[in-house]
Amino acid sequence: MKKISQKTIERGVFYIRTLEALLKDGQTLISSNQLANITGFSDAQIRKDISSFGKVGRPGIGYSTAELRNILQDFVLKNEVVHVALFGVGSLGAAILKYPGFHKDGIKLVAAFDKMKNKVGATINGVKVYDPKRAVDVIKKTHADIGVIAVPKEHSQEVADIIVLSGLRGIVNFSPISIAVPKNVMVKNIDLRVEFFSLFCNMQYNCGI
Amino acid sequence: MKKISQKTIERGVFYIRTLEALLKDGQTLISSNQLANITGFSDAQIRKDISSFGKVGRPGIGYSTAELRNILQDFVLKNEVVHVALFGVGSLGAAILKYPGFHKDGIKLVAAFDKMKNKVGATINGVKVYDPKRAVDVIKKTHADIGVIAVPKEHSQEVADIIVLSGLRGIVNFSPISIAVPKNVMVKNIDLRVEFFSLFCNMQYNCGI
DNA sequence: AAAACATTGTTAATTATTTCACGAATTATG
DNA sequence: CATAATTCGTGAAATAATTAACAATGTTTT
């Protein structure tokens, strides 16, 4: 089996979301060129990415929107549902709980955790909030795959330790601080400051072009 | 002037946040190797990145935490403050408004916009909420640099058009749909589904190693 | 049915990024 | 003081990612 690069996978997920939108509009065919115009990637890039998933398109015609979506989804998600455990039900955590479109898109929030006594026991958007002390148990029972850290940065490492201890091997970290984890645990950092700064900086450096 | 790659800049912002934490802990010196252990990047990578900002370190010693932080900040932010205009004060928008640490970190939310009459006029965390109809005016008056899209996906394109019309050249798009903008406008897409999926997928592909 | 056109899949070329490896600089130690 | 131990900065080597180019294939038009 060929290995598929992380970048290809990330773009693949992006293609899927675009194809979903096209399907809703009733578009049954799409060319790499059209997809390029929508997504901003180059057409060559798109064809190359897709080719790593097999021969899906027809020369002269393009890709069947539905078929391409299905094939990408098979590869990227393998028809599985990603089970997510959320730590921290503050404003960011709440926003994640309310994020639309998870449910029908192969992502399922299976549990939330918060230290605050007044939050424990509540159910937000169908997701129960537990005491973090019960995390290891609950995570095992709910078969979570990924942990999300959305707690104040003072507690990030502590939560990361709990996640690792629970046996999860993937973490999305929204707290603006690095966490230390064993090498076999994958971490994705999402720091709004990093996004804003790097965008701003790139805007300026590209001004001169 | 040498050009600095986007990747270097992104990591640069990441270094800054790490250095901030170290400074708070009172650590005055840091080696590329230590920084590598904390951030997960390689020491060679870190040295190479830093070298594009000048000769900052001392062989045999390492880098002065404060000096390195300052130099990175000078380059990445040029001592400027990024002014951000937020569109959509739903749960995600509210989370962004309440995101801690913006203020003292060179990011300033200068205005928020929401269609809902009951939100217009409110002040959240010191940020005023305006009617989107006034966006062009308000953005000019508040000298915004970047627009953030946190509205339901049905309205994303509409908001993107307003942002472009207002003269902004950078957009952070949290809505799970692609937006069409002129080529000279930079867009950063942040789609939670993409993050979750690609992390999960990578976890599986790397399992076999 | 031939010519013109559109579009994929893929190999080769190009460009970008990361890692390696080591000289130079600095401190610590015997 | 000389030797060992650190650690930076950097050019060269190795990888990775993107783009370009085009043969192959299918459609449309006349």
Side-chain angles (χ1 to χ4, degrees), chain A residues 6-7 14 17 76-78 82 105 107 177-178 188 191-193 195 197-198 200 202 204, chain B residues 6-7 14 17 77-78 82 105 107 174 177-178 188 191-193 195 197-198 200-202 204:
Chain A
Q6 177 154 350
K7 297 232 171 187
F14 206 92
R17 85 173 199 186
V76 174
L77 286 183
K78 307 196 187 80
V82 185
D105 272 329
I107 293 172
I177 199 170
S178 297
K188 269 220 170 191
D191 184 335
L192 292 187
R193 297 178 308 170
E195 306 298 336
F197 282 160
S198 65
F200 185 59
N202 282 128
Q204 305 199 315
Chain B
Q6 176 155 352
K7 299 234 170 187
F14 205 93
R17 84 172 199 187
L77 286 184
K78 306 196 186 80
V82 185
D105 272 331
I107 294 173
F174 280 96
I177 199 170
S178 298
K188 271 224 169 189
D191 184 335
L192 292 187
R193 297 177 308 168
E195 306 298 336
F197 283 160
S198 66
F200 185 59
C201 191
N202 282 129
Q204 306 200 316

Side-chain angles (χ1 to χ4, degrees), chain B residues 84-89 97 109-124 126-139 141-142:
Chain B
V84 177
L86 171 69
F87 288 80
V89 188
L97 282 174
L109 283 155
V110 292
F113 299 94
D114 203 295
K115 267 186 175 172
M116 305 290 284
K117 297 279 176 240
N118 59 333
K119 285 177 183 161
V120 173
T123 297
I124 303 177
V127 182
K128 233 182 166 176
V129 181
Y130 299 90
D131 188 307
K133 280 175 194 154
R134 300 184 49 201
V136 176
D137 255 14
V138 174
I139 283 178
K141 251 178 224 146
T142 54

